[in-house]
Every structure is written in structure tokens, then in C-alpha cells.
Amino acid sequence: MASTTNAFSLSLSSKSNTNLSSDSNPKLNKPLNLTLRGSGSGSCELSLGRLALSRSSQLSRRVCPNATRVMDQSVGEKSSAAPTIVEVDLGNRSYPIYIGSGLLDQHELLQKHVHGKKVLVVTNTTIAPLYLDKVVDALTRGNPNVSVENVILPDGEKYKNMETLMKVFNKAIESRLDRRCTFVALGGGVIGDMCGFAAASFLRGVNFIQIPTTVMAQVDSSVGGKTGINHPLGKNLIGAFFQPQCVLVDTDTLDTLPDRELASGLAEVIKYGLIRDAKFFEWQEKNMEKLMARDPYALAYAIKRSCENKAEVVSLDEKESGLRATLNLGHTFGHAIETGFGYGEWLHGEAVAAGTVMAVDMSYRLGWIDSSIVKRVNDILLRAKLPTAPPETMTVEMFKSVMAVDKKVADGLLRLILLKGPLGNCVFTGEYDRKALVDTLAAFCKS
Ligand SMILES: NC(=O)c1ccc[n+]([C@@H]2O[C@H](COP(=O)([O-])OP(=O)(O)OC[C@H]3O[C@@H](n4cnc5c(N)ncnc54)[C@H](O)[C@@H]3O)[C@@H](O)[C@H]2O)c1
Ligand SMILES: [Zn+2]
């Protein structure tokens, strides 16, 4: 890690010559808040339970503004109601995100996305006893031609590495899986990222399905096709863009999720509000206690709205040429905490929460936001029982060395996602006064 400080030092002293702020990129211009295809309040597609994001109308959608603002009471009911569907629009690689309660009991939902006769379920030692049988049943009931193998990985971010990935390949090869098999990721973001990367590279690519079981995975990691593993020098440095066939979010799986994990996922929910959806942030301010108390309607709404935001960003910028990077608000600082502190000590969302506070602090130092936003961010994170500062052991040098290998470094220049303007607006830019970054690091680190 120590050998990586140079690029960052460069970035602190070099003057940016690229303008990467959203102001200069028409794709990034506001408003990008979600709107729906259709042309009148009566013809809004959400009323049919389906939300489609049209590529052709990407930049000019302005329809049915209330549909996504009102809590959808049909989502998350404890019955086998039809799922809410959010479509990720990526041309011929488009896929649905099914959201609802009891979806693992609706076998046809999963089965229609299975290709071939062999399935490999990738999960871990914590989730297997809870949900593996249910998933195998969902895959095989009334479908005797399908055979299901499984591989149960050790649990934890520290196992998101090459060695663990090899266990997936070993099982796939031993089971003689061919190109027409389907990999199923059953678990949180760690399993989803690893299974997705295994699916992207096994036989140069096989089908895969995401069944996310944490808030983090249901609102963020299972959507958008980023897959990968960690390297000791940095998080998620090895991976591939690889889209699933579908994402199945059975909100009942959250019943067994520990409170700390629930809160960790909410850090990403808060992020969507801050970077692009002020109304959603305001909704969260009103409903945070309900979310923390696992109110099923509140959780289902937060998942749906988060997926809508993520789906829209991904459909506009799948490979992260600009807009998609804004989903990393707080992540550059956060990844430094995760890496510097050792994977697994702080949860991803906890590190992102502290990182968000640092990014917001820096935005304020730059004069890009007013102090009320700084306060609102602190308040909502505290209500979500998330950290608002990095661990005390983090030093300025630890931040610098990890941030130097961040994927958003280009030509030695560290680009950051910072808030700018009214709530719900951000920029992805390398054009900022380096002093603000230095001051933020100094303010949050003891040495
Ligand atoms: N690919 C992306 O776009 C993307 C986006 C965000 C995060 N991520 C990655 O996601 C990972 C974090 O994901 P995470 O927060 O889901 O962590 P995780 O996958 O480690 O899951 C958290 C813990 O909860 C347990 N668990 C999962 N579901 C459960 C359930 N229903 N009941 C009880 N326990 C359950 C897991 O076994 C684990 O111990 C990080 O590696 C991060 O880099 C990826
Ligand atoms: Zn994240």
C-alpha cells in the first residue's frame, strides 16, 4: 500500500485540465430525477405495476411525476401479490428487477430466467441454512429437468478474493457445467459481486441471476452489473461489467438481517437522495424511524425508489464514463477506510456513511453547498445509527495512499463526487481547490 502514494501526491499538486463536472456534460445535467414513460396521468405505466425506463426518452422524461413519490402500498405486502417490476433498460441486455414479499414462493418468476438444465447456486455459510432450500425449491418445483448444484463460501468481505472465487470455478468444473448453465447469487453484495464475476469469466460468460438478501444488495449492488473481487491494495480492483438475467428481491429475506447490516444498506439509500433525488431524501427524513423499525411498506418503497434511481443511472451510463461515477458519493473516502482499516472491520455502508460526511464537508469548504445540507446529512446518518466520522486510527497518510489507487484517478488526478448547489445535485470532478481536500483530511484525522 505504501508504494502507492505518488499518484495521490501528484493529484494534490497538479492542476486539473479536464472538466468532468456534470455542468459541462449534457448527459449529467439536471433534472435527471426519475420520470416515467407515457404521456398522461392516466397512462402511467406504474399503474400497471411495471416501471420501464426508455432509452429513447432518456433525457426528456417528464411524465406522471407523482407516481414514484407516493408510497406504493402494493409493494411489500405479506402476500403473494404481483411483484413491482423496475426495468433496467440496456437494449438487448435489459432485465427486470422484481420487488415484493413472498417472491421466492412464486416459482415461475425465477424459472423463466433460468437458461439450460444446470444451475449453480453460490451462497455462504450464513445464508445457506436460511434460504438455500427455499431457492432450490423455487428453481425445481414443477421443473424436474433442472438440476441444482451449490457452493457454500465462507462469509465475509475478507473472503471476497481470488482464493474464494476459485472455489466457485472448482465446483462449476467438477459439476461439468457447460455454457448453457445459470449461476445464481444468493446473498448480500459480497456473494453477488463474486458470483457475478465468476459468471462473467467461467467459460467466458454464463447466465446469472441475482437474489439479493441484504438492503445493501437489494438497493444497490445487485443492480447494474458491476462484479468483482478485492485486491490487498484496494477494493473491487479486479472485476467485470456483467449484467444478470434478472434480479429477484424477496423483501421477506430482510426479516433475518441483523440491525447493523440493515443500517449499512441505508447509507446507499441516503446517497441516492443526496446525489439526484431531493424528494426521496425528504421522504427519508420523514420516514427514517420507520425504515429502522423495518416497516415493510417503508422498506419496500425505499428499495423500489433506490432501484429506480440506480436503473436510470445505469441505463444512461453503463460503463461509468461519467454519470454512473456519481453513485460513488462518499466511496473514495469510504474505500480508504475499508482498505486502510482492514476489510470487514467496518461494514461497507458504515465506511460510505463516514465518507459521505467527508465529501459533504469538502463540498462545504469549497463553498458549493450551504451549511443546512451539512447538518441534514449528519442528522439523517445519526438517525440511521451510522458513523459520521472515520475510525480514530485513520491517518491522513492512510487516506492518501489508498485514494491514490482509486479507480477514479485519471492521469494522476483524483476525481471526486461532491455536492454542488441545492440538495439533490452533485458533480464528478477533478477541478477543485486541493486545499479543501487537504483541510478535510486534516479535520477528520488526528495525525
Ligand atoms: N457491485 C456493486 O455495484 C456494489 C455496490 C455496492 C456494494 N457492493 C459490494 O457489496 C459488498 C457489501 O454488501 P453487503 O453489505 O450486502 O455485505 P455482505 O454480502 O457481506 O452481507 C452482510 C452480512 O449479512 C449476512 N446476510 C446476508 N443476507 C442475510 C439475511 N437475509 N439474513 C441474515 N444475514 C444475512 C451475510 O452473510 C453477511 O454476513 C461490498 O463488497 C461492496 O463492495 C457492490
Ligand atoms: Zn457502495
Side-chain angles (χ1 to χ4, degrees), residues 123-128 130-131 154-157 160 186-193 210 212-228 230 235-236 250 252-258 261 264-265 268 271-272 310 324 327-328 331 335 338 347-349 352:
T123 188
N124 73 21
T125 48
T126 305
I127 300 152
L130 295 170
Y131 302 111
D155 183 3
E157 180 78 30
K160 188 177 157 182
L186 171 64
V190 169
I191 288 294
D193 281 11
Q210 289 267 19
T213 61
T214 60
V215 173
M216 172 68 63
Q218 294 182 354
V219 302
D220 195 344
S221 64
S222 68
V223 177
K226 273 195 188 176
T227 71
N230 300 328
K235 239 181 95 71
N236 298 331
D250 187 332
D252 295 352
T253 57
L254 298 181
D255 291 349
T256 53
L257 191 69
E261 298 290 349
S264 170
E268 306 280 9
K271 166 191 83 181
Y272 292 117
K310 178 125 189 207
R324 186 168 181 170
L327 295 171
N328 287 317
H331 283 59
H335 284 175
E338 286 178 275
L347 302 180
H348 176 69
V352 166

Side-chain angles (χ1 to χ4, degrees), residues 49 61 67 136 394:
R61 288 178 224 115
V136 172
M394 285 295 291

